[in-house]
Amino acid sequence: LMRGLLQAMLRQAEKVEPQLKAALRGGQAAGGMTARERMALREGSIEEAAAILNARQFVQRLIEKDRETTQAQMVWALGRIEPTELDAMVRQLARMRGRYASLVLEYGQSERPIGKLALEELQGLRERIAEFEHGFEMIKTAILDGTAEVTGVKTARL
């Protein structure tokens, strides 16, 4: 959601600032910032950055700050992951997928309409599967970008 909002802000900034688009096409990725401005961006807060940046640069800084903050929180929250923890998660996800498929097949063979309780069970299971899959993807991404460490696995640097 946040990424989509930031991308929409970027598109709006491009509409409002045609000279910025021309500068970017000309290879001026830094947007003509002075050394003082670049240093303020690296070391300052979002509020300080807003005072010296155009809209596109500001949104790019927000995206960078979001990535850095998320990485720091992932390192803090996950710590070092044991391979057995990942194995247990994979097994649990597989069990939920198997249970869901089994129920769909069972209900599909029934002559009578599916009841409300059975439908709620399917829906709840599908939602749990989606949440587990989303979390699993986040963890795999964290492992690949080096913000999560797995015991016995070399840290990836993409």
Side-chain angles (χ1 to χ4, degrees):
L1 178 64
M2 177 66 116
R3 187 167 296 217
L5 179 62
L6 292 175
Q7 289 172 342
M9 292 170 65
L10 274 173
R11 285 191 296 275
Q12 182 62 29
E14 288 175 344
K15 291 177 188 174
V16 174
E17 301 181 20
Q19 70 277 8
L20 176 62
K21 287 173 74 175
L24 288 173
R25 273 193 301 271
Q28 297 175 345
M33 291 191 310
T34 66
R36 181 190 65 78
E37 291 168 332
R38 285 191 301 277
M39 184 182 305
L41 288 180
R42 279 194 307 271
E43 298 173 0
S45 68
I46 291 292
E47 293 82 15
E48 293 168 337
I52 57 174
L53 299 177
N54 62 41
R56 182 176 188 77
Q57 292 167 331
F58 179 72
V59 171
Q60 287 172 335
R61 178 66 180 135
L62 277 176
I63 291 168
E64 181 182 321
K65 191 74 150 181
D66 177 46
R67 186 179 60 249
E68 290 170 358
T69 305
T70 298
Q71 284 181 336
Q73 284 300 308
M74 291 292 278
V75 167
W76 178 84
L78 294 175
R80 184 177 296 268
I81 302 170
E82 295 296 323
T84 55
E85 293 175 292
L86 295 171
D87 287 342
M89 184 176 175
V90 168
R91 283 192 308 277
Q92 178 67 14
L93 185 55
R95 278 193 297 272
M96 286 189 291
R97 288 176 180 146
R99 175 76 177 138
Y100 183 82
S102 171
L103 286 173
V104 168
L105 186 61
E106 178 184 326
Y107 295 142
Q109 294 176 2
S110 175
E111 293 294 322
R112 53 189 181 157
I114 188 169
K116 184 177 179 177
L117 287 177
L119 190 59
E120 287 174 355
E121 180 183 14
L122 277 174
Q123 182 179 9
L125 192 51
R126 183 174 37 85
E127 289 172 357
R128 284 192 296 278
I129 290 168
E131 288 301 324
F132 260 71
E133 288 173 338
H134 181 73
F136 190 45
E137 288 303 314
M138 285 183 68
I139 291 170
K140 289 189 300 187
T141 299
I143 292 167
L144 286 174
D145 70 18
T147 57
E149 293 181 18
V150 179
T151 301
V153 176
K154 291 182 183 178
T155 302
R157 293 290 175 217
L158 298 178

